[in-house]
mmCIF file of all heavy atoms in Angstrom:
data_model
loop_
_atom_site.group_PDB
_atom_site.id
_atom_site.type_symbol
_atom_site.label_atom_id
_atom_site.label_comp_id
_atom_site.label_asym_id
_atom_site.label_seq_id
_atom_site.Cartn_x
_atom_site.Cartn_y
_atom_site.Cartn_z
ATOM 1 N N PHE T 367 118.072 82.288 123.520
ATOM 2 C CA PHE T 367 116.682 82.720 123.335
ATOM 3 C C PHE T 367 115.683 81.634 123.730
ATOM 4 O O PHE T 367 114.551 81.947 124.089
ATOM 5 C CB PHE T 367 116.478 83.194 121.885
ATOM 6 C CG PHE T 367 117.091 84.552 121.652
ATOM 7 C CD1 PHE T 367 118.404 84.661 121.216
ATOM 8 C CD2 PHE T 367 116.394 85.705 121.943
ATOM 9 C CE1 PHE T 367 118.993 85.906 121.041
ATOM 10 C CE2 PHE T 367 116.959 86.954 121.769
ATOM 11 C CZ PHE T 367 118.271 87.058 121.328
ATOM 12 N N TYR T 368 116.106 80.359 123.701
ATOM 13 C CA TYR T 368 115.246 79.312 124.268
ATOM 14 C C TYR T 368 115.000 79.616 125.749
ATOM 15 O O TYR T 368 113.877 79.472 126.261
ATOM 16 C CB TYR T 368 115.913 77.937 124.161
ATOM 17 C CG TYR T 368 116.015 77.375 122.750
ATOM 18 C CD1 TYR T 368 117.095 76.573 122.393
ATOM 19 C CD2 TYR T 368 115.027 77.615 121.806
ATOM 20 C CE1 TYR T 368 117.206 76.041 121.122
ATOM 21 C CE2 TYR T 368 115.124 77.090 120.530
ATOM 22 C CZ TYR T 368 116.225 76.298 120.188
ATOM 23 O OH TYR T 368 116.315 75.768 118.922
ATOM 24 N N GLN T 369 116.061 80.043 126.410
ATOM 25 C CA GLN T 369 115.933 80.315 127.847
ATOM 26 C C GLN T 369 115.051 81.538 128.104
ATOM 27 O O GLN T 369 114.290 81.566 129.077
ATOM 28 C CB GLN T 369 117.331 80.496 128.471
ATOM 29 C CG GLN T 369 118.148 79.207 128.446
ATOM 30 C CD GLN T 369 119.541 79.399 128.984
ATOM 31 O OE1 GLN T 369 119.742 79.485 130.202
ATOM 32 N NE2 GLN T 369 120.525 79.447 128.085
ATOM 33 N N LEU T 370 115.133 82.526 127.204
ATOM 34 C CA LEU T 370 114.204 83.657 127.336
ATOM 35 C C LEU T 370 112.765 83.174 127.128
ATOM 36 O O LEU T 370 111.831 83.675 127.754
ATOM 37 C CB LEU T 370 114.535 84.749 126.324
ATOM 38 C CG LEU T 370 115.807 85.551 126.553
ATOM 39 C CD1 LEU T 370 115.905 86.692 125.546
ATOM 40 C CD2 LEU T 370 115.875 86.112 127.966
ATOM 41 N N GLY T 371 112.602 82.186 126.253
ATOM 42 C CA GLY T 371 111.270 81.650 125.983
ATOM 43 C C GLY T 371 110.616 81.032 127.202
ATOM 44 O O GLY T 371 109.379 80.965 127.284
ATOM 45 N N THR T 372 111.425 80.579 128.159
ATOM 46 C CA THR T 372 110.857 80.014 129.393
ATOM 47 C C THR T 372 110.399 81.107 130.357
ATOM 48 O O THR T 372 109.702 80.829 131.331
ATOM 49 C CB THR T 372 111.893 79.126 130.102
ATOM 50 O OG1 THR T 372 112.994 79.948 130.528
ATOM 51 C CG2 THR T 372 112.408 78.023 129.190
ATOM 52 N N LYS T 373 110.793 82.363 130.070
ATOM 53 C CA LYS T 373 110.481 83.457 130.990
ATOM 54 C C LYS T 373 109.366 84.363 130.458
ATOM 55 O O LYS T 373 108.771 85.131 131.211
ATOM 56 C CB LYS T 373 111.745 84.334 131.196
ATOM 57 C CG LYS T 373 112.960 83.579 131.745
ATOM 58 C CD LYS T 373 114.190 84.493 131.761
ATOM 59 C CE LYS T 373 115.437 83.747 132.181
ATOM 60 N NZ LYS T 373 115.378 83.260 133.571
ATOM 61 N N ILE T 374 109.106 84.324 129.159
ATOM 62 C CA ILE T 374 108.173 85.280 128.533
ATOM 63 C C ILE T 374 106.819 84.613 128.300
ATOM 64 O O ILE T 374 106.744 83.497 127.782
ATOM 65 C CB ILE T 374 108.748 85.785 127.193
ATOM 66 C CG1 ILE T 374 110.043 86.562 127.440
ATOM 67 C CG2 ILE T 374 107.737 86.664 126.462
ATOM 68 C CD1 ILE T 374 110.754 86.982 126.155
ATOM 69 N N LYS T 375 105.759 85.302 128.641
ATOM 70 C CA LYS T 375 104.403 84.800 128.411
ATOM 71 C C LYS T 375 103.979 85.108 126.966
ATOM 72 O O LYS T 375 104.342 86.156 126.413
ATOM 73 C CB LYS T 375 103.412 85.451 129.384
ATOM 74 C CG LYS T 375 103.737 85.195 130.850
ATOM 75 C CD LYS T 375 103.697 83.695 131.169
ATOM 76 C CE LYS T 375 103.995 83.433 132.626
ATOM 77 N NZ LYS T 375 104.115 81.974 132.919
ATOM 78 N N VAL T 376 103.183 84.216 126.410
ATOM 79 C CA VAL T 376 102.828 84.358 124.996
ATOM 80 C C VAL T 376 102.054 85.645 124.714
ATOM 81 O O VAL T 376 102.324 86.335 123.714
ATOM 82 C CB VAL T 376 102.030 83.116 124.511
ATOM 83 C CG1 VAL T 376 100.706 82.963 125.252
ATOM 84 C CG2 VAL T 376 101.777 83.204 123.005
ATOM 85 N N ASP T 377 101.123 86.025 125.569
ATOM 86 C CA ASP T 377 100.349 87.242 125.310
ATOM 87 C C ASP T 377 101.202 88.494 125.477
ATOM 88 O O ASP T 377 100.965 89.513 124.811
ATOM 89 C CB ASP T 377 99.130 87.310 126.232
ATOM 90 C CG ASP T 377 98.009 86.385 125.764
ATOM 91 O OD1 ASP T 377 98.067 85.940 124.597
ATOM 92 O OD2 ASP T 377 97.105 86.087 126.565
ATOM 93 N N THR T 378 102.175 88.426 126.359
ATOM 94 C CA THR T 378 103.090 89.564 126.536
ATOM 95 C C THR T 378 103.890 89.804 125.261
ATOM 96 O O THR T 378 104.035 90.943 124.796
ATOM 97 C CB THR T 378 104.058 89.284 127.711
ATOM 98 O OG1 THR T 378 103.304 89.005 128.885
ATOM 99 C CG2 THR T 378 104.967 90.474 127.950
ATOM 100 N N LEU T 379 104.395 88.706 124.668
ATOM 101 C CA LEU T 379 105.165 88.844 123.438
ATOM 102 C C LEU T 379 104.266 89.287 122.274
ATOM 103 O O LEU T 379 104.664 90.143 121.470
ATOM 104 C CB LEU T 379 105.838 87.510 123.095
ATOM 105 C CG LEU T 379 106.708 87.496 121.832
ATOM 106 C CD1 LEU T 379 107.729 88.627 121.850
ATOM 107 C CD2 LEU T 379 107.422 86.151 121.683
ATOM 108 N N ALA T 380 103.059 88.731 122.200
ATOM 109 C CA ALA T 380 102.142 89.102 121.107
ATOM 110 C C ALA T 380 101.799 90.594 121.178
ATOM 111 O O ALA T 380 101.813 91.302 120.156
ATOM 112 C CB ALA T 380 100.872 88.263 121.175
ATOM 113 N N GLU T 381 101.505 91.073 122.378
ATOM 114 C CA GLU T 381 101.170 92.494 122.535
ATOM 115 C C GLU T 381 102.343 93.384 122.136
ATOM 116 O O GLU T 381 102.171 94.424 121.494
ATOM 117 C CB GLU T 381 100.779 92.754 124.001
ATOM 118 C CG GLU T 381 100.358 94.182 124.269
ATOM 119 C CD GLU T 381 100.052 94.418 125.747
ATOM 120 O OE1 GLU T 381 100.085 93.454 126.546
ATOM 121 O OE2 GLU T 381 99.795 95.581 126.104
ATOM 122 N N PHE T 382 103.547 92.963 122.508
ATOM 123 C CA PHE T 382 104.746 93.741 122.163
ATOM 124 C C PHE T 382 104.943 93.785 120.642
ATOM 125 O O PHE T 382 105.275 94.824 120.081
ATOM 126 C CB PHE T 382 105.960 93.107 122.860
ATOM 127 C CG PHE T 382 107.156 94.012 122.958
ATOM 128 C CD1 PHE T 382 107.098 95.209 123.654
ATOM 129 C CD2 PHE T 382 108.352 93.660 122.349
ATOM 130 C CE1 PHE T 382 108.199 96.041 123.752
ATOM 131 C CE2 PHE T 382 109.464 94.475 122.442
ATOM 132 C CZ PHE T 382 109.392 95.671 123.143
ATOM 133 N N CYS T 383 104.751 92.638 119.990
ATOM 134 C CA CYS T 383 104.896 92.575 118.520
ATOM 135 C C CYS T 383 103.911 93.513 117.833
ATOM 136 O O CYS T 383 104.263 94.202 116.863
ATOM 137 C CB CYS T 383 104.653 91.150 118.033
ATOM 138 S SG CYS T 383 105.964 89.986 118.443
ATOM 139 N N HIS T 384 102.688 93.526 118.324
ATOM 140 C CA HIS T 384 101.666 94.370 117.695
ATOM 141 C C HIS T 384 102.044 95.851 117.760
ATOM 142 O O HIS T 384 101.721 96.617 116.843
ATOM 143 C CB HIS T 384 100.316 94.150 118.386
ATOM 144 C CG HIS T 384 99.729 92.796 118.097
ATOM 145 N ND1 HIS T 384 98.890 92.133 118.974
ATOM 146 C CD2 HIS T 384 99.884 91.959 117.043
ATOM 147 C CE1 HIS T 384 98.543 90.974 118.457
ATOM 148 N NE2 HIS T 384 99.130 90.840 117.292
ATOM 149 N N LYS T 385 102.723 96.261 118.830
ATOM 150 C CA LYS T 385 103.127 97.669 118.933
ATOM 151 C C LYS T 385 104.032 98.080 117.774
ATOM 152 O O LYS T 385 104.049 99.233 117.360
ATOM 153 C CB LYS T 385 103.851 97.918 120.256
ATOM 154 C CG LYS T 385 102.954 97.853 121.474
ATOM 155 C CD LYS T 385 103.761 98.134 122.730
ATOM 156 C CE LYS T 385 102.875 98.094 123.970
ATOM 157 N NZ LYS T 385 103.661 98.320 125.203
ATOM 158 N N PHE T 386 104.795 97.112 117.260
ATOM 159 C CA PHE T 386 105.725 97.408 116.158
ATOM 160 C C PHE T 386 105.105 97.111 114.792
ATOM 161 O O PHE T 386 105.790 97.143 113.783
ATOM 162 C CB PHE T 386 107.005 96.587 116.333
ATOM 163 C CG PHE T 386 107.836 97.039 117.500
ATOM 164 C CD1 PHE T 386 107.582 96.555 118.781
ATOM 165 C CD2 PHE T 386 108.861 97.952 117.337
ATOM 166 C CE1 PHE T 386 108.341 96.969 119.858
ATOM 167 C CE2 PHE T 386 109.629 98.370 118.413
ATOM 168 C CZ PHE T 386 109.365 97.884 119.690
ATOM 169 N N GLY T 387 103.826 96.779 114.773
ATOM 170 C CA GLY T 387 103.143 96.564 113.498
ATOM 171 C C GLY T 387 103.146 95.134 113.012
ATOM 172 O O GLY T 387 102.596 94.854 111.944
ATOM 173 N N LEU T 388 103.752 94.201 113.742
ATOM 174 C CA LEU T 388 103.728 92.810 113.309
ATOM 175 C C LEU T 388 102.338 92.222 113.580
ATOM 176 O O LEU T 388 101.690 92.553 114.568
ATOM 177 C CB LEU T 388 104.795 91.986 114.038
ATOM 178 C CG LEU T 388 106.240 92.451 113.864
ATOM 179 C CD1 LEU T 388 107.197 91.472 114.534
ATOM 180 C CD2 LEU T 388 106.599 92.612 112.400
ATOM 181 N N GLY T 389 101.894 91.353 112.686
ATOM 182 C CA GLY T 389 100.553 90.778 112.826
ATOM 183 C C GLY T 389 99.456 91.735 112.399
ATOM 184 O O GLY T 389 98.276 91.466 112.611
ATOM 185 N N LYS T 390 99.828 92.842 111.766
ATOM 186 C CA LYS T 390 98.851 93.835 111.308
ATOM 187 C C LYS T 390 99.183 94.239 109.870
ATOM 188 O O LYS T 390 100.329 94.145 109.435
ATOM 189 C CB LYS T 390 98.908 95.108 112.158
ATOM 190 C CG LYS T 390 98.559 94.919 113.625
ATOM 191 C CD LYS T 390 98.698 96.256 114.323
ATOM 192 C CE LYS T 390 98.307 96.168 115.785
ATOM 193 N NZ LYS T 390 98.482 97.479 116.463
ATOM 194 N N TYR T 391 98.176 94.713 109.171
ATOM 195 C CA TYR T 391 98.421 95.263 107.844
ATOM 196 C C TYR T 391 99.180 96.586 107.992
ATOM 197 O O TYR T 391 98.853 97.402 108.853
ATOM 198 C CB TYR T 391 97.108 95.507 107.102
ATOM 199 C CG TYR T 391 96.324 94.245 106.820
ATOM 200 C CD1 TYR T 391 95.152 93.958 107.510
ATOM 201 C CD2 TYR T 391 96.765 93.333 105.860
ATOM 202 C CE1 TYR T 391 94.436 92.793 107.257
ATOM 203 C CE2 TYR T 391 96.057 92.169 105.604
ATOM 204 C CZ TYR T 391 94.891 91.906 106.309
ATOM 205 O OH TYR T 391 94.191 90.761 106.062
ATOM 206 N N THR T 392 100.149 96.790 107.130
ATOM 207 C CA THR T 392 100.849 98.080 107.152
ATOM 208 C C THR T 392 100.037 99.152 106.430
ATOM 209 O O THR T 392 100.320 100.330 106.555
ATOM 210 C CB THR T 392 102.218 97.971 106.448
ATOM 211 O OG1 THR T 392 102.013 97.740 105.053
ATOM 212 C CG2 THR T 392 103.068 96.853 107.032
ATOM 213 N N ASN T 393 99.050 98.705 105.627
ATOM 214 C CA ASN T 393 98.219 99.604 104.812
ATOM 215 C C ASN T 393 99.017 100.288 103.709
ATOM 216 O O ASN T 393 98.776 101.457 103.358
ATOM 217 C CB ASN T 393 97.513 100.649 105.683
ATOM 218 C CG ASN T 393 96.451 100.004 106.548
ATOM 219 O OD1 ASN T 393 95.723 99.125 106.092
ATOM 220 N ND2 ASN T 393 96.376 100.400 107.802
ATOM 221 N N ILE T 394 99.965 99.559 103.165
ATOM 222 C CA ILE T 394 100.649 100.029 101.959
ATOM 223 C C ILE T 394 99.608 100.234 100.857
ATOM 224 O O ILE T 394 98.568 99.554 100.842
ATOM 225 C CB ILE T 394 101.721 99.004 101.518
ATOM 226 C CG1 ILE T 394 102.517 99.519 100.321
ATOM 227 C CG2 ILE T 394 101.101 97.665 101.228
ATOM 228 C CD1 ILE T 394 103.649 98.601 99.893
ATOM 229 N N ASP T 395 99.882 101.159 99.937
ATOM 230 C CA ASP T 395 98.858 101.546 98.956
ATOM 231 C C ASP T 395 98.850 100.691 97.693
ATOM 232 O O ASP T 395 98.702 101.218 96.573
ATOM 233 C CB ASP T 395 98.988 103.027 98.601
ATOM 234 C CG ASP T 395 100.415 103.457 98.326
ATOM 235 O OD1 ASP T 395 101.339 102.674 98.594
ATOM 236 O OD2 ASP T 395 100.622 104.596 97.860
ATOM 237 N N ILE T 396 99.023 99.393 97.831
ATOM 238 C CA ILE T 396 98.709 98.432 96.762
ATOM 239 C C ILE T 396 98.027 97.244 97.428
ATOM 240 O O ILE T 396 98.223 97.000 98.627
ATOM 241 C CB ILE T 396 99.957 97.956 95.975
ATOM 242 C CG1 ILE T 396 101.048 97.411 96.905
ATOM 243 C CG2 ILE T 396 100.469 99.040 95.076
ATOM 244 C CD1 ILE T 396 102.233 96.824 96.162
ATOM 245 N N PRO T 397 97.195 96.504 96.676
ATOM 246 C CA PRO T 397 96.425 95.412 97.300
ATOM 247 C C PRO T 397 97.254 94.137 97.456
ATOM 248 O O PRO T 397 98.346 94.003 96.908
ATOM 249 C CB PRO T 397 95.296 95.192 96.290
ATOM 250 C CG PRO T 397 95.888 95.591 94.978
ATOM 251 C CD PRO T 397 96.855 96.704 95.261
ATOM 252 N N GLY T 398 96.678 93.201 98.225
ATOM 253 C CA GLY T 398 97.272 91.871 98.347
ATOM 254 C C GLY T 398 98.143 91.681 99.554
ATOM 255 O O GLY T 398 98.862 90.682 99.659
ATOM 256 N N GLU T 399 98.084 92.614 100.503
ATOM 257 C CA GLU T 399 98.964 92.511 101.660
ATOM 258 C C GLU T 399 98.515 91.404 102.610
ATOM 259 O O GLU T 399 97.323 91.170 102.806
ATOM 260 C CB GLU T 399 98.988 93.852 102.397
ATOM 261 C CG GLU T 399 100.025 93.876 103.504
ATOM 262 C CD GLU T 399 100.096 95.208 104.217
ATOM 263 O OE1 GLU T 399 99.170 96.029 104.041
ATOM 264 O OE2 GLU T 399 101.065 95.413 104.957
ATOM 265 N N ASN T 400 99.491 90.724 103.200
ATOM 266 C CA ASN T 400 99.245 89.692 104.202
ATOM 267 C C ASN T 400 99.556 90.285 105.585
ATOM 268 O O ASN T 400 100.597 90.930 105.766
ATOM 269 C CB ASN T 400 100.149 88.490 103.917
ATOM 270 C CG ASN T 400 99.789 87.268 104.737
ATOM 271 O OD1 ASN T 400 99.361 87.365 105.878
ATOM 272 N ND2 ASN T 400 99.960 86.097 104.153
ATOM 273 N N ALA T 401 98.664 90.083 106.544
ATOM 274 C CA ALA T 401 98.892 90.625 107.895
ATOM 275 C C ALA T 401 99.880 89.784 108.686
ATOM 276 O O ALA T 401 100.335 90.198 109.754
ATOM 277 C CB ALA T 401 97.567 90.717 108.646
ATOM 278 N N GLY T 402 100.220 88.601 108.174
ATOM 279 C CA GLY T 402 101.110 87.734 108.944
ATOM 280 C C GLY T 402 100.371 87.088 110.100
ATOM 281 O O GLY T 402 99.134 87.093 110.161
ATOM 282 N N ASN T 403 101.125 86.556 111.056
ATOM 283 C CA ASN T 403 100.486 85.908 112.210
ATOM 284 C C ASN T 403 101.377 86.030 113.438
ATOM 285 O O ASN T 403 102.556 85.653 113.406
ATOM 286 C CB ASN T 403 100.240 84.420 111.909
ATOM 287 C CG ASN T 403 99.479 83.746 113.024
ATOM 288 O OD1 ASN T 403 98.461 84.272 113.486
ATOM 289 N ND2 ASN T 403 99.969 82.608 113.485
ATOM 290 N N ILE T 404 100.826 86.607 114.472
ATOM 291 C CA ILE T 404 101.517 86.684 115.764
ATOM 292 C C ILE T 404 100.670 85.887 116.758
ATOM 293 O O ILE T 404 99.605 86.344 117.193
ATOM 294 C CB ILE T 404 101.670 88.151 116.227
ATOM 295 C CG1 ILE T 404 102.549 88.915 115.238
ATOM 296 C CG2 ILE T 404 102.258 88.206 117.624
ATOM 297 C CD1 ILE T 404 103.978 88.400 115.110
ATOM 298 N N PRO T 405 101.100 84.689 117.132
ATOM 299 C CA PRO T 405 100.282 83.829 117.999
ATOM 300 C C PRO T 405 100.079 84.434 119.389
ATOM 301 O O PRO T 405 100.987 85.052 119.954
ATOM 302 C CB PRO T 405 101.107 82.540 118.094
ATOM 303 C CG PRO T 405 102.053 82.586 116.939
ATOM 304 C CD PRO T 405 102.347 84.031 116.706
#
Side-chain angles (χ1 to χ4, degrees):
F367 285 91
Y368 290 147
Q369 294 177 77
L370 289 186
T372 65
K373 302 174 185 295
I374 296 174
K375 300 299 181 187
V376 63
D377 283 344
T378 304
L379 181 52
E381 182 183 356
F382 198 61
C383 288
H384 290 151
K385 290 181 179 178
F386 290 86
L388 301 185
K390 297 179 178 179
Y391 296 108
T392 67
N393 291 319
I394 184 176
D395 46 350
I396 53 175
E399 188 178 14
N400 191 326
N403 185 48
I404 297 298

